[in-house]
Structure formats: structure tokens, C-alpha cells
Amino acid sequence: MARPATSEGTVIHTRSLTKDFVVSRTQTVHAVRGVDLDIAPGELVAVLGPNGAGKTTTMRILTTLIPPTAGNATVAGHDVVTEAAQVRRRIGYVGQGNGAGHTQRAGDELYTQALIYGLDRRAARRRSGELLESLDLTELAGRKVSELSGGQRRRLDVAMGLVHAPSLLFLDEPSTGLDPHNRANLWQHIGQMRAAHEMTIVLTTHYLDEADAMAERVIVVDHGQVIADDSPDVLKARLAGDRIALTASPAAVGQLAQLASRLPGARDVVAEGTKVALRVSDGPGALPGLLGTAHGAGIEVVAAQVDRPTLDDVFLALTGRSLRESATPAEPTTPTSRKDAA
Ligand SMILES: Nc1ncnc2c1ncn2[C@@H]1O[C@H](COP(=O)(O)OP(=O)(O)OP(=O)(O)O)[C@@H](O)[C@H]1O
Ligand SMILES: [Mg+2]
């Protein structure tokens, strides 16, 4: 996909965005390492990556909460460092594990937030009512925030970020901790708002199926760098491909694997027991020809299955690691140099 090289026509534009955290005299964490982003108005972008990849840090820079160590970022037409106030006015942000104030009642908390964002009393009451309704919080409006469950509080956090219907919205793991019903409600509400207000939304999630279904664009980050950026379908077709699994008699498996590896575009051919597995870019397209060839060679294939790839397969193809496995190598660190510590 062609991306504009300048900030023109983009709502988020970064070049060489970098963030180092000096954690001690001897160690610096390189959380974000030279990130270039161009996000156009109206896009819904999911940022994926393992724990510690730099997703939250990038979002905190884009929402002006922390300055970058190097590089630059323009958000909604304004520089995040020199024009932070202008940026803040134009965005909404739901941080990872925000936690609204504790002693207020949930409904009052949301209403107050709407007033802070400049809605008049009537609009604030209407807007907070709408959000309570669509995030399934109406019954809980009279409860103190400190008494809500984790998932209920998370929904309130999301409502707080949406109250002024910003045209650019950052959501850091908005659906983490929500049950399936409330995840579906949240997505429905995000979809409606997007349609009504032409919003641009950048979100992070660890639910790969959610990103696959909802986002038009997926940015995969690992160790502070962007390692892939495209639509879920293109990423899956280009990087992972469909997986074909064939079952035959153990005596025929070796020959079947040979035939499979001659298939144009076939890769990762593995033969084990009675099974041969391989990857191709178009499984349903390739399977009939492969079965025909096997039949012609006198091999009886007793079962055949095509699995479409997931975004986890994409990550696996890119890094050799699975996003589903929680254990990820430590983030890149280096000894703190004199320049960092300054
Ligand atoms: N304030 C800080 N001081 C020191 N190190 C930090 C700080 N904030 C983040 N880091 C480190 O920077 C790296 C990136 O963290 P970040 O929170 O951006 O990851 P993430 O991709 O959002 O991960 P997760 O999926 O767990 O939310 C991690 O190694 C983290 O420990
Ligand atoms: Mg995070």
C-alpha cells in the first residue's frame, strides 16, 4: 500500500520515532526504535505485538504524555512536543489500565468528564446516558467506581475516552478483561461512532481474532520496531499462507511429500506419520491439482484439509515466535551511555 511521505493527508505522521528509558546507571531500555508511521483520516488501525514491544510507549508519545528521545511526530496536524496542547484538544485516549477516580459514582464520573471536555449540561447528560447504555453500564451508574469489577471499570474507562466523540481516538487494550458480550458491545459502539463521526482509531489489542475482524490495517511491532504494516488479509496471504494437511498411508507419505514440494509456491513441507503438511498462498486453489497429481501417481489421499492462516501465523513467520506464547525474550537494552544519562 502506498503511504504518503509527508504529513500531508495524514492524521498521524512520525519519522524515526525513538524512546529510550534510562532505568539505571548501567541499563537503558530501547522501548521504541525508529518508528515511521503514516495514518490517514478514517483508518482503523490495530497495533499488535508481544508484551514490552513498545505499543503503549508509542501511544504515550503520540498522545503527548511523554516526549520522544529522538525523531518527530505530528498528530492531528500538530507537533506532539512543541504543540502538545493543540494535539490534546483533538484526541481521545484510553490508557492501558487507566482507572477512573475512585470515590465518585460511575454515572457522575462520566458526566463530569463530559463537562470537562466542554459539553453543556444537557449535552453532557445525553452523551453520558448514551455511553452508559451502549457499554452496558446503565444499571451500574449509581455505584461507586471503587466498587465496580475490573471489566466494568474498563468499560467506564472506555466511555470516559469517548465522551467528547474525538475525531482521533487512541485505545490501549480497550477490550482486555471484558467478557465476550461486552467486547461485542464495545466494538459495536466503536463502529457506530466511527461511521457517525468519521473517526480515526488507533488501538492495541492482544486479541488477534479481534484485530483480524475489525481492523483494516494491522501494524506489527516487535522490540520497538515496526516489522509489518498492511491489511490482515494481505499480511496473511503474503507472510503466512494457507496450510494444507493431507493424510495417506505411511508407505506413500514420502512420495506424497515429494509431489507436494514440487507444487509451485509450496513451502514448509513436512511429512510425519501418515500426514503431509505444507504452506501455499492459495490453499483452496492448489488442493485439486495436488490431489489430481497424487491420484495420477497411484497415491490414495484419505483426508485433506485447508486451514486459513491467523495473525499469529503472520507473527510466527516474521519472528519465529508465537504471539500466543507468553514468554518473549527481554526487550533490547544496552549499558547506559553518558549521552543517555545526561
Ligand atoms: N517508564 C518506564 N521506565 C522504564 N522502562 C519502561 C517505562 N515504560 C515502559 N518501559 C519499558 O519499555 C518497553 C516497552 O514497554 P511498553 O509498555 O511500551 O510495551 P507494550 O508493547 O505496551 O507491552 P504490553 O503488551 O505488555 O502492554 C518495556 O520493556 C518496558 O519495560
Ligand atoms: Mg501496553
Side-chain angles (χ1 to χ4, degrees), residues 272-310:
E272 214 178 284
T274 58
K275 290 223 171 359
V276 173
L278 63 147
R279 288 206 181 271
V280 291
S281 52
D282 175 12
L287 185 61
L290 182 56
L291 291 177
T293 311
H295 183 72
I299 300 171
E300 193 195 350
V301 175
V302 294
Q305 187 177 332
V306 177
D307 289 319
R308 311 306 296 233
T310 64

Side-chain angles (χ1 to χ4, degrees), residues 184-324:
N185 274 354
L186 172 64
W187 279 105
Q188 195 185 1
H189 186 75
I190 288 175
Q192 283 165 355
M193 267 195 329
R194 216 183 143 210
H197 303 284
E198 289 184 13
M199 268 185 177
T200 309
I201 301 174
V202 179
L203 61 92
T204 70
T205 177
H206 286 289
Y207 298 109
L208 302 180
D209 52 340
E210 192 172 89
D212 199 344
M214 300 299 177
E216 291 132 15
R217 181 170 163 197
V218 165
I219 295 177
V220 186
V221 293
D222 191 29
H223 294 320
Q225 292 181 314
V226 174
I227 56 169
D229 178 356
D230 222 313
S231 70
D233 285 345
V234 170
L235 288 177
K236 287 185 290 180
R238 187 159 53 83
L239 292 165
D242 293 345
R243 183 174 180 276
I244 297 180
L246 306 171
T247 309
S249 73
V253 156
Q255 195 191 352
L256 185 58
Q258 272 182 9
L259 293 179
S261 52
R262 275 186 227 134
L263 194 71
R267 54 190 193 275
D268 305 337
V269 181
V270 179
E272 214 178 284
T274 58
K275 290 223 171 359
V276 173
L278 63 147
R279 288 206 181 271
V280 291
S281 52
D282 175 12
L287 185 61
L290 182 56
L291 291 177
T293 311
H295 183 72
I299 300 171
E300 193 195 350
V301 175
V302 294
Q305 187 177 332
V306 177
D307 289 319
R308 311 306 296 233
T310 64
L311 287 175
D312 194 43
D313 295 322
V314 169
F315 191 76
L316 190 66
L318 286 165
T319 65
R321 311 188 322 269
S322 167
L323 263 176
R324 292 190 201 287

Side-chain angles (χ1 to χ4, degrees), residues 101-161:
H102 286 232
T103 48
Q104 279 219 67
R105 299 185 188 285
D108 295 341
E109 183 89 13
L110 191 56
Y111 174 70
T112 311
Q113 177 91 343
L115 293 179
I116 290 169
Y117 272 120
L119 277 73
D120 65 37
R121 283 168 194 280
R122 233 175 96 193
R125 208 163 295 121
R126 196 189 56 232
R127 182 76 186 128
S128 45
E130 266 171 27
L131 280 165
L132 289 171
E133 177 82 37
S134 65
L135 292 169
D136 232 3
L137 288 164
T138 310
E139 311 256 295
L140 304 168
R143 290 227 203 134
K144 282 191 190 147
V145 176
S146 57
E147 290 162 6
L148 298 179
S149 78
Q152 292 164 347
R153 199 180 299 184
R154 191 68 189 136
R155 270 140 59 203
L156 181 62
D157 287 338
V158 172
M160 305 267 286

